[in-house]
Amino acid sequence: MDVDTGFPRDLVFTRVCHVKQGYDDRRRHIIGEFERRGVPVTFYTDWDQPDVTPEIRAELIAPRFVHPAQVSLALKHVGIWRDFLETDQPYCLVFEDDVFLARNFVAKFRQALAELGSPSRKAVIYLGNGSNYYTPMWKLRKGQMLYPAMHARCADSYLITRPVAQARCAWIERNKISTVIDHQIEQMDAAMGIEMLWFERPIAEQGSENGAFHTSVAGKRRSLLYKKLRWNWKKYNRMIFGHTARS
């Protein structure tokens, strides 16, 4: 049974985007990483690339969005939101399968829920440092973890409330998915007035960005050592001076 310092399983629907076959290194990584932190592991493997039928594309995907891996990943996020709405839990926590968690992830996560307040709030919390976006050091306030942002971070680790899941699913039914899920989330959330909050300092990091894994969906394939060095240089520089897509 969970205690106050444990992960709030009764409140949070948690899923990890993954595939049925392949990427065994990522599966092992997630299981080990989450078990060490006390975070439940449930992989979401619907809508792998072979499962994306013409009927599904016609229902949910715009004709111009054709990259198979990106389409599959986007559908996995949508499928998680839909499954979440079938439960009575107030929060949905979504991860991609290359994420690393901070040692104190659960304690910090619980503090974020407390700071967010009402689960009826129409807000998304980005827990990671996707694209090495940071609030500059001089804007941080003691005891404050959630900071309003002008745009999203990446979709590797985020929390949404039921109103957000409902709004996103309705938007996609009307408009369809037309770009990679990170950008699609930002576009539709901005259009619907959903609060975008960055957790500072981040408690998750994307392995396909920090040099732990090669990307599974797109991008030039560089050496992992190069990626690690480049990522860390940007990371520590931007933690001090801040960085946003509007910079």
Side-chain angles (χ1 to χ4, degrees), residues 55-124:
E55 292 75 20
I56 292 172
R57 285 195 57 90
E59 177 189 356
L60 296 171
I61 305 297
R64 65 181 179 274
F65 187 31
V66 296
H67 191 290
Q70 293 173 351
V71 167
S72 172
L73 179 58
L75 287 170
K76 288 176 185 291
H77 283 266
V78 176
I80 291 171
W81 305 337
R82 287 179 165 185
D83 285 359
F84 163 56
L85 291 174
E86 295 297 319
T87 75
D88 60 358
Q89 291 167 290
Y91 304 105
C92 178
L93 179 59
V94 182
F95 296 103
E96 292 178 357
D97 63 3
D98 60 343
V99 73
F100 286 75
L101 305 180
R103 286 195 183 100
N104 58 354
F105 179 89
V106 171
K108 293 291 186 180
F109 177 74
R110 293 186 71 97
Q111 290 175 41
L113 288 184
E115 187 173 329
L116 181 66
S118 171
S120 64
R121 190 170 169 181
K122 203 174 181 180
V124 53

Side-chain angles (χ1 to χ4, degrees), residues 63-234:
R64 65 181 179 274
F65 187 31
V66 296
H67 191 290
Q70 293 173 351
V71 167
S72 172
L73 179 58
L75 287 170
K76 288 176 185 291
H77 283 266
V78 176
I80 291 171
W81 305 337
R82 287 179 165 185
D83 285 359
F84 163 56
L85 291 174
E86 295 297 319
T87 75
D88 60 358
Q89 291 167 290
Y91 304 105
C92 178
L93 179 59
V94 182
F95 296 103
E96 292 178 357
D97 63 3
D98 60 343
V99 73
F100 286 75
L101 305 180
R103 286 195 183 100
N104 58 354
F105 179 89
V106 171
K108 293 291 186 180
F109 177 74
R110 293 186 71 97
Q111 290 175 41
L113 288 184
E115 187 173 329
L116 181 66
S118 171
S120 64
R121 190 170 169 181
K122 203 174 181 180
V124 53
I125 301 175
Y126 290 96
L127 302 170
N129 59 349
S131 296
N132 258 326
Y133 292 139
Y134 284 96
T135 302
M137 182 181 293
W138 60 84
K139 289 188 176 182
L140 302 183
R141 299 292 178 264
K142 185 176 181 180
Q144 180 179 345
M145 296 185 176
L146 305 183
Y147 291 80
M150 295 182 292
H151 61 80
R153 279 169 168 162
C154 295
D156 57 285
S157 50
Y158 62 87
L159 177 94
I160 58 175
T161 58
R162 296 187 72 82
V164 173
Q166 291 164 346
R168 286 180 177 180
C169 288
W171 189 97
I172 287 168
E173 288 178 5
R174 295 191 304 270
N175 300 282
K176 300 186 180 181
I177 305 168
S178 60
T179 187
V180 294
I181 194 61
D182 309 72
H183 296 161
Q184 190 70 80
I185 284 173
E186 180 175 86
Q187 291 171 12
M188 60 183 170
D189 286 2
M192 295 184 293
I194 292 170
E195 291 183 84
M196 302 180 202
L197 302 171
W198 289 0
F199 189 103
E200 297 289 1
R201 288 303 196 215
I203 51 174
E205 188 162 285
Q206 199 170 5
S208 57
E209 294 291 338
N210 70 11
F213 300 106
H214 287 294
T215 180
S216 62
V217 291
K220 186 175 180 180
R221 197 175 180 89
R222 299 184 180 274
S223 78
L224 294 180
L225 178 58
Y226 171 86
K227 290 178 70 174
K228 180 178 181 179
L229 293 173
R230 186 169 181 265
W231 176 263
N232 282 326
W233 183 87
K234 285 185 176 180

Side-chain angles (χ1 to χ4, degrees), residues 1-11 106-111 113:
M1 183 174 67
D2 290 323
V3 296
D4 289 345
T5 57
F7 187 87
R9 296 169 185 259
D10 56 330
L11 300 176
V106 171
K108 293 291 186 180
F109 177 74
R110 293 186 71 97
Q111 290 175 41
L113 288 184

